[in-house]
Amino acid sequence: MSRAREQTASASVEAEQGSDGAFRLVLSGRLDAHTTAGAWREALRLLEGAAPGRAVVDASRVDYCDGAGIALLRELRRRQDARGGELVIEGLAEESRSSLERFEDAELDPARYRRTVRHGPVERAGRAAVAVLQDGRQQVEFVGELMVAMGGALARPRRLRWKDVFALIEQVGANALPVVGLVGFLMGLVMAFEAAIILQQFGVEIFVAKFIGLSLIRELGPLVTAIVLAGRSGSSFAAELGTMQVNDEISALRTMGLEPVRVLVVSRVLAAVAMMPPLTVFFDLAGLLGGAFVAFSLGIPLVTYTNQALASVDLSDVLGALVKALVLGLLVAAAGCLRGLQTERSASGVGRATTRAVVSGIILIAVASGVFAVVYYYLGI
Amino acid sequence: MNRSGEALIRVENLTAAYGDEVVLQDVSLEVYAGEVFAILGGSGCGKSTLLRHMVGLHEPAAGRVLIGGRDICRADDAQRRRILRSIGVTYQSGALFGSMTLLENVRFPLEELTELPHEAVDTIAMTKLRLVGLAEYAESPPAEVSGGMQKRAAIARAMALDPEILCMDEPSSGLDPVTSAELDQLILELARALSVTFVVVSHELASIYTIADRVAMLDKQARTIIATGTPQELREHSEDERVRRFLERNV
C-alpha cells in the first residue's frame, strides 16, 4: 500500500533531557487513529508531570502521522500555551507540518461554533405550553380537514381510491385476525380461569359464562381490539406517512394541488372504521371460545355455557359495543395519520411519530371509553 | 501518482448480479495509489453496483476485488475490518445520521472505532469539518444545511479515520454548478494534500474532466468496461463510437 500501512505498528513516547537542559518528548513509530490513543495518554502524562517552561517535541522518528497524530501535537501545544510555556516541534515531516499549520487551534474549538441557547425554567415551561397549544390547534385543524374530506368522500364515493381502501382493509382487518384471535382467546381463557377459582367457592361456577359474555362483549372487546389496532395499524400509518413526509412525497402531493388528508388519510380511516366492528366480533368469539375451554373443564355443558353467555347481553349491549368499536377505530386511525403527517424530517422523527401515534391512540381509547361509559349509563344501555 | 508499483485496488473478472439479472460481466480494472479514478457511464449501467462491490457491500457472483492485495470478500473478520478502515465511502444521498449534528456525525467513527480520548476526537472531527469548510455548521443537524453541505459533511465523516481510499458515489448529483465545482476543488485538494486515492462514480462530464486522472467507462448493453484511460485520451483518440459520443456530449 502507498503509505506502507502496517496495522501491527505502534507509537511510543519517551521523555529525555536535551543537551541544552530542555525537556524533550521523543515521539516514534506510527501516529494514526488506532495507535495514537496510547501515545496520547503517555505524552500528556509526561508533559504534565514535568511541567517544563520550554519543551521540545522530537518527531524525527515518526514514520507516519495522520489527523490523529496532528491532533496530539496540537493538544501538546495547547497545554503548553495554557501554562504559559513554549513548545517547539522538531523533525516533523513537511506534509505533516503543513497539516499542523493549516488551521489555527482556535478555529478547531467546537465551543466557538456552538449555537445552543440555554433557556431558563420559566422560558422552557412557556415553550412547552406553546408546543402543547400548537399541537392542540393542529389536532383541531386536522379533525376539521378530516371531516370535510370524509364528507367529500361520502358525497362523491367514486373519487375515492377504492383499490387503496381494499388493500388497507386487508392490511388492517384480515391480516390482524391471527393476533386479535389469539389475544381474545387467551384473555377469555385467563379471565374464566381466574373467575372460576372464586365462583367455585360459592358453587356458582355457572356464572363464569355470564361474566365472560358480559365483560368481553360490552367492554373488553372494543377496548382491547382498539389497543391492538393502535399498536399494529396506528403505528404503521404513522411510519408510512412519516416516511412519505421525509421523502417529500407529501410535499409532492401538496404541490400537485392535492390534500394529503383526502388522498392518504380518508382511505386509512375508512379501512379502520370498517374493520373495527368485525375485528371486535372476532375478538369476542375467540374470547368466548377461550372461556368455553375453562367452562368445559369445570363440567359445564357447552350448550349451557353458550346459553348463559348469550343471555348475559342483549341487543343494545352488542350494538353499543359495535358503535364504540367504530368510534375507537376512527380515533386510532386518525391519531396514527395525524402523527405521521406531523413527522419531522429525519429517521428519528419517524420513530418519534410512531411512538406518539401509539401513545395518542391509547390515550384516546381510554378517554373515549370513559365518555361512552357515562353516556351509556345515562341512556340506560 | 505511482503506477509502477502494485495496484491499490484490483478488480478481477468481476460478475455482479441481482438474483438472476446479471448487471456486470467480467469487469477488470486497477486503481493506483494517489490517483483520482472515475467510473462513468449512463444511467443504469452498473456504476454504483461496481462501487458497492469494490467496498465489499455486495459479494461478486464471480471474480474478486483485491484491496492492498487482499480479497475483501474472502478476508477473515479481522482482515476485513482492517481493509474497511482503509476505505471511506460517501453515498449519493450523503447518508448522514439525521439525529446527530454534523460534528457528531464526524465524531461517530472515531468514537466507535478508536480509543482516542474526547479532546482528540473533537480536534480531529473539527479539523475534518474545517477542511471541507463546515466548521461553523458543526452544531447544525443535517436537515438544517443544504444538499451540497451535506455532501461535504459526508466527505468529512468518510475522512475521519484518514482512509487511504475514498470512494464517492455521485458526489455532484443534485448540486448546482458552482457547488459542484467547489466539491471538485475539494477532491483535488484532498488528493494532493493528503495523498488520498479517490474512486469516484459519476456521469457529470465537467467534473470528470476536472478531477479524474483516469476513467473507466461502463456500458449498459455490454455490461462491462468498454474503455479505460485518461478522459482526454478517450475523448480524442478512442475508436469506440459509444465512448466518443458519451465524452463529447456537453463539452
Side-chain angles (χ1 to χ4, degrees), chain A residues 186-222:
Chain A
L186 291 175
M187 275 197 76
L189 194 88
V190 172
M191 283 171 60
F193 187 70
E194 295 292 334
I197 292 170
I198 297 168
L199 294 173
Q200 253 183 334
Q201 293 172 9
F202 301 98
V204 288
E205 54 266 35
I206 187 68
F207 285 121
V208 165
K210 278 186 181 294
F211 171 70
I212 293 294
L214 192 67
S215 55
L216 276 185
I217 293 172
R218 239 186 101 97
E219 289 297 333
L220 288 175

Side-chain angles (χ1 to χ4, degrees), chain A residues 232-253:
Chain A
R232 201 180 163 278
S233 300
S235 58
S236 147
F237 292 167
E240 206 175 344
L241 298 190
T243 308
M244 290 178 79
Q245 184 78 274
V246 172
N247 291 342
D248 273 335
E249 293 171 51
I250 304 275
S251 305
L253 278 177

Side-chain angles (χ1 to χ4, degrees), chain B residues 92-131:
Chain B
Q92 276 189 51
S93 61
L96 295 171
F97 304 124
S99 58
M100 300 179 187
T101 63
L102 300 191
L103 178 63
E104 287 166 342
N105 263 283
V106 183
R107 287 176 55 104
F108 186 76
L110 292 160
E111 287 169 338
E112 291 297 317
L113 296 170
T114 73
E115 303 290 323
L116 287 166
H118 174 82
E119 317 89 83
V121 169
D122 260 349
T123 306
I124 296 169
M126 283 304 298
T127 306
K128 305 303 177 194
L129 281 175
R130 182 69 186 80
L131 209 56

Side-chain angles (χ1 to χ4, degrees), chain B residues 4-132:
Chain B
S4 55
E6 184 78 359
L8 186 56
I9 304 172
R10 186 190 295 274
V11 177
E12 291 179 352
N13 309 107
L14 179 131
T15 296
Y18 294 113
D20 292 334
E21 194 190 341
V22 175
V23 183
L24 296 170
Q25 185 115 44
D26 204 23
V27 171
S28 296
L29 62 86
E30 288 175 343
V31 180
Y32 296 91
E35 73 175 340
V36 178
F37 187 87
I39 300 168
L40 73 158
S43 300
C45 69
K47 303 186 293 292
S48 297
T49 299
L50 176 56
L51 189 78
R52 292 174 82 84
H53 279 79
M54 287 167 79
V55 299
L57 281 176
H58 295 323
E59 200 164 330
R64 59 183 191 158
V65 175
L66 304 174
I67 308 284
R70 295 193 180 102
D71 186 337
I72 192 166
C73 287
R74 287 176 186 81
D76 61 34
D77 281 353
Q79 270 185 341
R80 191 178 163 83
R81 272 198 298 276
R82 276 202 291 274
I83 294 171
L84 289 176
R85 280 177 194 177
S86 70
I87 307 173
V89 186
T90 68
Y91 299 89
Q92 276 189 51
S93 61
L96 295 171
F97 304 124
S99 58
M100 300 179 187
T101 63
L102 300 191
L103 178 63
E104 287 166 342
N105 263 283
V106 183
R107 287 176 55 104
F108 186 76
L110 292 160
E111 287 169 338
E112 291 297 317
L113 296 170
T114 73
E115 303 290 323
L116 287 166
H118 174 82
E119 317 89 83
V121 169
D122 260 349
T123 306
I124 296 169
M126 283 304 298
T127 306
K128 305 303 177 194
L129 281 175
R130 182 69 186 80
L131 209 56
V132 298

